[in-house]
Structures are given as structure tokens and as C-alpha cells.
Amino acid sequence: MTDRRQLEWLWLSAVLGPGAAHCGQVLALYGTPGELYEAVGKEDMSGLLTPAQLRRAEQLTPERFSPLLARCHHMGVRVLCQDEEDYPARLAALSDAPPVLYCTGDVSALSQPAAVAMIGSRRPSSYGVEAAALIGGQLAQAGVCLVSGLADGLDSEAHKAAVAAGAPTVGVLGTAIDKTYPVTNRRLRSEMEQGCGAVISEFAPGEATGAGGFLQRNRIIAALADAVCVVEARQKSGTMNTVGHAKRYGRTVFAVPGAIFSPLCGGTNQLLEEGQAYAAPSAAPILRHLGIEPAPQKSVSRRARPAAPTLSAEAKAMQKALTSQAQGLEPLAKAAGLSAGQALAALMELEVSGIAVSGAGGQYRRV
């Protein structure tokens, strides 16, 4: 049986459009999407809705969204409406919260008692990758939910740290819920969903989105967290856009101190210089802010190296080919004398063993 209530929320989402800038104002006046729908054509809404929104309100009906709701059920996509218990409370309280969220994976990840957004460059330095792995690992081991954008670079490092620790994590997409971008993160997304993580989007299955979708999702990343940690970012970047939303929502911002000569650290260092963020050389200050006592840390600040594992012949060949400089699959395969398939399997083996680390653009380097 079709849920009329959910259809009305889908209708409201379509009427307001991406960003839902004044969803809270609409609901404050009318209470529910159903009450708004009943008032369309009977009341003057020109001061509340834009001309485009008003046209959609008049032309669309809740019943039109029955096929979308059925498709979501068929795909295993959870439709979370603002009035539902599983809709994240941190987000529901905001004036520009999406009327509807589409979710795959473990929905409980959206309502963890402690959550931190880890954000940063899609093309990070090796320093940024190690810092994200270290701080993300410490937060995840303390049971903190890590929120990020499932993008290349430092987003991926945050999610990987959570998966490795068996901790909850939330990936917020800037695309339709049934599209993973970049496609190279499909495996990571699957690991998140099969563990205790969730992936969400305000865009329905098959919905076309442009570059603006990634900027719109930044507000959701900031809203879902109690604090935001900027690992590495340029002064002008999407990461700094997320920081702006965090400030708007009253979220505490932390930044990892970076090299003063690196443009990749320009944004983080500026935040610290201007007093807009607290320094986070480790997860300890973030955990204390959350009311969690940090575990005693070892004196070594870099990622701990495991005992030497037993490697396959292909992995040993690849280990010799790896350097401290990140390289793509093709040159590494050539240097190791392996086929592309063998090289990829060897790199995965080395990454699991803690010998190699993957970075942005599918590049690998020695730890």
C-alpha cells in the first residue's frame, strides 16, 4: 500500500527544489506538506514560494511520485522524511534541511551520539593522507561516527578509517543516491553499507545533478556533525564552503596545522591564524570537545607499521616498485613486470598489509 504521507513529502521536495533553502519556514506556516498541498490555489503564496516553486506546486500532485516511491523500495533505498524518527535530528532542526533524504546502508549511522565531519582536498599531499588516516583512525576507534563526502582524497581516507575500525560512517553524495562518484569508490561504498555505515543523498534515483549538487551537499555534511575537522585545504575550495556552513550552524571547527609553504595547507593555516578553528595535531582535542577522554597515544605520530606479513610473489614485486612518490597503476605494473590485473591485486594486498597507501586518482605510494 502506498504511503500518502511519504508521497506528500516527495511532492514538497520537488516543489522546493535542490537546496530547500526555506523548508523550515514553509513547515512553520503549514505544519505538514499535506496541509500546504491543500492550500495551493486557495491562498496567496507569492510571498512564500518563488514563481518557479509556485508553478510546480500547482502542476504537480503527490500521486505523481508513486512510481518513484516504488522504485526506491525495489532498489532497497530508504526514503527518510523529515517527520520520521530515523531522519537525523541534527539535520531536522535546520531551516534548510532537505524534506526527504534517500539512504542506503545502516540508517542508525545517521543518529550516532558523537559525529565528526572530516573534510579536505581531493588531491592531498602524502602529509594530508597520513594525517587523515591518523586522526580518522583515532576518532573511529573512540566510536565517533565519521561524516564525509565519499569523494576522492581525504574524504575517502576518513571513510576508510571508519571501515577499518568497524565504526559508523556516513557518506553524503552530491549526486543521485544510485550513483557513486567517483566510480572508483564503489567498493568503498559497498564496504560502508555492508558494515555499520550509511550513504545518503537529497537527490532521488536517476535524478540529474550538476556541479551545484556538490556544493549543496556540503551543508548536509556540516549539519550531520557535532564538529568539523579540516585536514588539508586550499584557501578557495569546496572544503572551505563546508566550513562556512559549519560556522552558520554553530558547529565547532578544527584544523590540522600544515606546512606554511604548501598551497594545499593555505586554507587550514588561515583558519588557525584567524582564530576560526582550533588546532588538531591529533584527535585528542576533538575528542575532548565531544566529552570523550582520549586514549593514551604512542609517541610515534605516523601510522603504525604492522609486523612484516607474508606476501605473494606479485606483492613482493610490487613492493620493490613502490616509492614514496605516488604513482598510477600503469607505471607501477610496468615497473613490477605484472599485468594490470595482477598489479591491482598486488596493490590491494600491500594496502591491507599496511605497506602501501592509495591516494587521489587511484595512485599508490609506499607507507
Side-chain angles (χ1 to χ4, degrees):
M1 182 177 176
T2 302
D3 187 333
R4 170 75 184 188
R5 178 191 55 82
Q6 285 188 309
L7 294 179
E8 290 171 347
W9 278 102
L10 290 170
W11 170 83
L12 177 62
S13 181
V15 167
L16 297 181
H22 55 297
C23 181
Q25 182 184 0
V26 171
L27 292 174
L29 288 172
Y30 285 94
T32 68
E35 291 180 37
L36 176 66
Y37 177 70
E38 292 300 325
V40 172
K42 301 175 184 176
E43 298 180 14
D44 181 6
M45 299 182 182
S46 59
L48 178 64
L49 302 178
T50 67
Q53 290 172 334
L54 193 53
R55 282 195 300 272
R56 290 194 291 268
E58 293 170 344
Q59 294 169 1
L60 299 175
T61 65
E63 288 75 20
R64 180 170 175 172
F65 297 92
S66 291
L68 171 58
L69 190 58
R71 184 182 180 194
C72 288
H73 290 164
H74 177 73
M75 296 173 65
V77 173
R78 180 82 180 272
V79 178
L80 298 176
C81 305
Q82 262 198 48
D83 64 345
E84 294 181 14
E85 183 178 352
D86 286 333
Y87 190 98
R90 292 181 181 92
L91 190 54
L94 305 177
S95 62
D96 55 352
V100 170
L101 286 174
Y102 301 91
C103 177
T104 58
D106 186 353
V107 71
S108 69
L110 302 174
S111 302
Q112 294 297 306
V116 170
M118 284 195 66
I119 56 176
S121 174
R122 295 189 183 187
R123 298 289 181 269
S125 66
S126 57
Y127 166 79
V129 170
E130 288 201 52
L134 171 71
I135 296 174
Q138 292 170 344
L139 290 170
Q141 288 163 18
V144 175
C145 177
L146 297 182
V147 182
S148 202
L150 199 56
D152 264 341
L154 299 181
D155 283 21
S156 296
E157 293 302 320
H159 296 307
K160 287 176 184 176
V163 169
T169 183
V170 177
V172 185
L173 301 179
T175 61
I177 188 63
D178 57 337
K179 181 179 181 181
T180 303
Y181 183 85
V183 70
T184 50
N185 273 349
R186 288 180 63 183
R187 178 178 177 182
L188 175 59
R189 175 176 180 171
S190 177
E191 290 175 343
M192 292 165 60
E193 293 169 337
Q194 291 173 14
C196 48
V199 177
I200 63 171
S201 175
E202 62 180 315
F203 301 107
E207 185 173 347
T209 58
F214 294 98
L215 290 176
Q216 289 161 15
R217 66 92 181 269
N218 288 344
R219 79 189 195 286
I220 300 177
I221 293 174
L224 286 175
D226 301 305
V228 173
C229 177
V230 187
V231 180
E232 191 175 58
R234 296 178 182 271
Q235 288 182 327
K236 294 183 179 180
S237 62
T239 299
M240 300 306 286
N241 175 266
T242 308
V243 171
H245 288 297
K247 290 290 186 181
R248 184 162 62 92
Y249 297 147
R251 305 305 194 245
T252 302
V253 178
F254 292 85
V256 177
I260 62 173
F261 300 110
S262 172
L264 281 173
C265 302
T268 47
N269 288 339
Q270 182 181 28
L271 289 172
L272 293 169
E273 179 186 2
E274 296 178 352
Q276 297 186 57
Y278 296 98
S282 71
I286 306 174
L287 289 171
R288 292 193 183 98
H289 171 73
L290 298 173
I292 301 172
E293 186 59 33
Q297 297 298 316
K298 298 179 181 179
S299 59
V300 179
S301 61
R302 290 176 176 263
R303 188 182 300 179
R305 297 174 184 263
T310 302
L311 300 174
S312 66
E314 291 80 6
K316 289 178 180 177
M318 181 57 71
Q319 185 180 14
K320 293 179 182 178
L322 283 169
T323 68
S324 58
Q325 183 68 36
Q327 302 175 71
L329 179 63
E330 186 175 343
L332 284 171
K334 184 176 180 181
L338 301 173
S339 68
Q342 289 175 319
L344 186 58
L347 286 165
M348 290 172 59
E349 183 178 346
L350 292 174
E351 190 171 10
V352 170
S353 300
I355 296 171
V357 63
S358 61
Q363 295 194 326
Y364 294 81
R365 64 173 179 81
R366 186 178 62 237
V367 173

